[in-house]
Amino acid sequence: MSAPAPLPPLAPGALPLAGHFIAYRADPLAFLMSLAARGPIVGMRLGPIDAFLVREPEDIERVLVSEHRRFWKDRMTRGLGRILGDGLLTSEGDIWLRHRRLLAPAFHRERIATYGNDMALAAERFALAREPGEVRDLHADMMRLTLEIVAKALFASDVGPRAADVARALDVVVDRFGDGLITLFPWMEHLPLPDNRRTREAIATLDDVLLGVVRARRARGGGGSDLLSMLLAAEDDAGRGLSDREMRDELMTLFLAGHETTALALSYAFVLLSKHPDVEARLRAEIDETLGDALPTTENLARLPFARATILETLRLYPPAWAIGREAIEETSLGGYRIPKGTQLWISQWVNHRDARYFPEPERFLPERWLNGLERALPRFAYYPFGGGPRICIGNQFSLLEATIVLATILRRVRVRLLERRPPALSPMITLRPTGPIVVAYEPARKTALLRAPAPLVP
């Protein structure tokens, strides 16, 4: 009779009660990289939670694709249900499957392509509004720009100025739930703390705005070209659509995913280009040769392969979705190790995208690595900025289209010059955020205007 498979090895340095939580909190990304260096599956203890980091692409594929029914969302992700309700990110089972089927037509590739013109026009307005030498926070600017784009795509003109209220409220709840503390220690949510009060107020604002939009649109009736109209019209085989509350949950999830992640990708792309003028020069040459004085469109993006490669390489080095969590709902095995029921599994894009087996010189910014079929040659889960399997991000094509169009449009008009030599400090929360402003100066793309002295930083 064969001996049972062993548990994965536990990383050294676990403290009583806290486990590895203190080391993880000090630098989550470095901590995960140190675990990955110890083997294909390595254990960690984060307070009351035992988790394994899974590194090998074939094991990740089993978790996310071939054996995905053995796993559901991890404890930390399920904790986001207090914000996002039963949206696609947090729901499971029949609820998730029904919602996914109802939302899928709204995200068909041909449907997404129709938003390209609005994306380009919004980016062009942003670029034309920049003053020579103006100093601003790049991340805040990209957040405002992608907010305008996603609000237009989701709601047409229904949200208007209240889109900013949604963005501010989401920012509050992401800050509160993003570091995992409340998930690890749920009792903290009930303490009489200012952060808890602000979080409750933010969730109330989200409910007020999003439920108000849904109810007003239902009352008005009629069709429309935005995603909200398509979702309101969608019905399952039994003729049932999404309830107001279900609509609120999905809109909030789409708002978060479609707004913040693309803003982060664009922010990091401009940072990398500023630090690599040779890459920026090559990209500008492609844009000038392909577009001339025209705006990019969905149709001509195929003639901007280096622009797409720049976005892909940015997503490799700075994946906005930097980790995925799952929980084993039955005992199973991975990589020759036993995975007990209830075990938390962590899968990290930050880790896998820096694997030198697949990406030589992994810390270097080399968009050209994507120009010769690398995507097709890689193992399926060596590179997965949008996740994978049945639960791959439903808005991945929207995000790629938006990032590429906005990057090309802005670069036609503006050069973004980073004023801080060091890379931005990172805060791995729900998304991979910078810890503070990314201060840049905006300058004309072509030296045809006399630059003024830098203006003060604009919030």
Side-chain angles (χ1 to χ4, degrees):
M1 185 174 180
S2 60
L7 291 171
L10 181 69
L15 301 174
L17 299 179
H20 299 95
F21 185 69
I22 295 173
Y24 170 79
R25 284 275 291 177
D27 192 337
L29 301 175
F31 179 77
L32 292 182
M33 291 295 290
S34 72
L35 259 61
R38 292 185 172 276
I41 305 179
V42 179
M44 56 182 151
R45 288 184 182 144
L46 302 175
I49 292 180
D50 289 334
F52 299 141
L53 177 69
V54 180
R55 186 193 70 188
E56 291 300 311
E58 58 267 30
D59 291 333
I60 296 172
E61 183 165 7
R62 287 181 59 194
V63 173
L64 297 183
V65 184
S66 62
E67 299 179 25
H68 70 92
R69 290 183 177 84
R70 295 176 179 264
F71 307 93
W72 63 9
K73 288 298 179 93
D74 66 305
R75 180 172 168 179
M76 289 189 180
T77 305
R78 294 200 306 273
L80 297 177
R82 296 196 288 282
I83 311 167
L84 302 176
D86 281 329
L88 286 181
L89 181 63
T90 52
S91 60
E92 294 287 353
D94 292 342
I95 292 175
W96 172 82
L97 183 59
R98 177 173 177 267
H99 285 207
R100 181 84 183 199
R101 287 173 173 169
L102 286 170
L103 267 65
F107 288 90
H108 190 277
R109 185 184 297 269
E110 293 179 0
R111 177 70 190 176
I112 293 303
T114 64
Y115 296 112
N117 189 55
D118 287 336
M119 295 170 179
L121 289 173
E124 178 80 343
R125 286 193 296 271
F126 169 82
L128 290 174
R130 303 284 64 83
E131 296 288 338
E134 188 177 10
V135 176
R136 297 173 64 95
D137 177 2
L138 172 66
H139 180 228
D141 279 346
M142 293 302 101
M143 290 285 277
R144 279 190 286 265
L145 176 55
T146 59
L147 173 64
E148 177 185 345
I149 291 170
V150 77
K152 172 75 171 177
L154 280 177
F155 309 115
S157 59
D158 285 82
V159 173
R162 298 221 67 187
D165 295 336
V166 174
R168 282 190 293 269
L170 277 174
D171 199 51
V172 169
V173 295
V174 167
D175 279 343
R176 188 65 178 135
F177 284 84
D179 62 3
L181 273 175
I182 288 181
T183 303
L184 291 173
F185 310 107
W187 48 266
M188 292 180 61
E189 191 176 359
H190 304 290
L191 296 176
L193 300 173
D195 282 349
N196 287 335
R197 176 181 54 78
R198 283 192 292 270
T199 301
R200 287 191 293 270
E201 291 173 351
I203 292 174
T205 295
L206 293 168
D207 288 346
D208 177 56
V209 175
L210 296 178
L211 282 171
V213 169
V214 170
R215 289 165 180 164
R217 185 71 71 86
R218 280 198 203 276
R220 191 170 71 234
S225 61
D226 57 5
L227 291 174
L228 175 59
S229 295
M230 294 196 69
L231 298 184
L232 286 171
E235 293 182 343
D236 59 21
D237 293 341
R240 294 181 299 121
L242 294 171
S243 69
D244 287 357
R245 190 69 193 184
E246 289 173 318
M247 287 290 300
R248 171 265 189 207
D249 294 347
E250 294 301 352
L251 291 174
M252 193 176 300
T253 300
L254 294 173
F255 216 102
L256 176 63
H259 162 43
E260 179 160 1
T261 56
T262 309
L264 289 168
L266 286 164
S267 298
Y268 295 136
F270 283 116
V271 167
L272 289 165
L273 290 171
S274 181
K275 288 179 170 294
H276 297 83
D278 55 330
V279 177
E280 183 179 2
R282 179 174 177 179
L283 178 54
R284 287 185 182 282
E286 177 185 83
I287 292 169
D288 289 345
E289 180 179 343
T290 301
L291 300 178
D293 292 327
L295 287 173
T297 64
T298 305
E299 291 73 23
N300 62 25
L301 285 188
R303 296 189 292 122
L304 294 170
F306 198 69
R308 184 175 187 275
T310 298
I311 295 298
L312 293 179
E313 182 72 345
T314 299
L315 293 173
R316 184 185 72 81
L317 285 169
Y318 291 99
W322 60 280
I324 296 170
R326 292 290 186 268
E327 180 179 308
I329 58 176
E330 59 185 63
E331 182 162 312
T332 185
S333 63
L334 280 175
Y337 293 111
R338 180 167 61 90
I339 308 297
K341 179 181 177 179
T343 298
Q344 309 294 299
L345 299 180
W346 284 24
I347 297 162
S348 174
Q349 291 96 323
W350 178 271
V351 168
N352 288 108
H353 292 184
R354 283 167 165 74
D355 192 327
R357 294 176 297 175
Y358 310 115
F359 305 103
E361 301 182 273
E363 295 294 339
R364 288 191 62 192
F365 177 56
L366 298 171
E368 58 268 26
R369 72 170 87 231
W370 297 99
L371 295 178
N372 297 308
L374 178 62
E375 283 181 272
R376 295 186 298 275
L378 286 171
R380 188 171 181 181
F381 286 96
Y383 178 80
Y384 51 107
F386 299 101
R391 301 197 68 139
I392 191 170
C393 174
I394 198 170
N396 61 336
Q397 294 300 323
F398 185 100
S399 183
L400 275 175
L401 177 70
E402 180 183 5
T404 309
I405 282 181
V406 170
L407 182 71
T409 302
I410 291 176
L411 285 175
R412 290 171 61 252
R413 300 281 187 185
V414 171
R415 174 173 279 107
V416 180
R417 181 166 58 87
L418 188 66
L419 299 184
E420 173 60 62
R421 296 183 63 85
R422 292 175 300 177
L426 300 174
S427 179
M429 302 180 72
I430 297 173
T431 54
L432 188 64
R433 291 177 156 194
T435 58
I438 301 176
V439 183
V440 300
Y442 292 100
E443 300 169 347
R446 300 175 180 84
K447 297 186 181 298
T448 57
L450 180 65
L451 294 181
R452 305 184 316 197
L457 177 64
V458 178

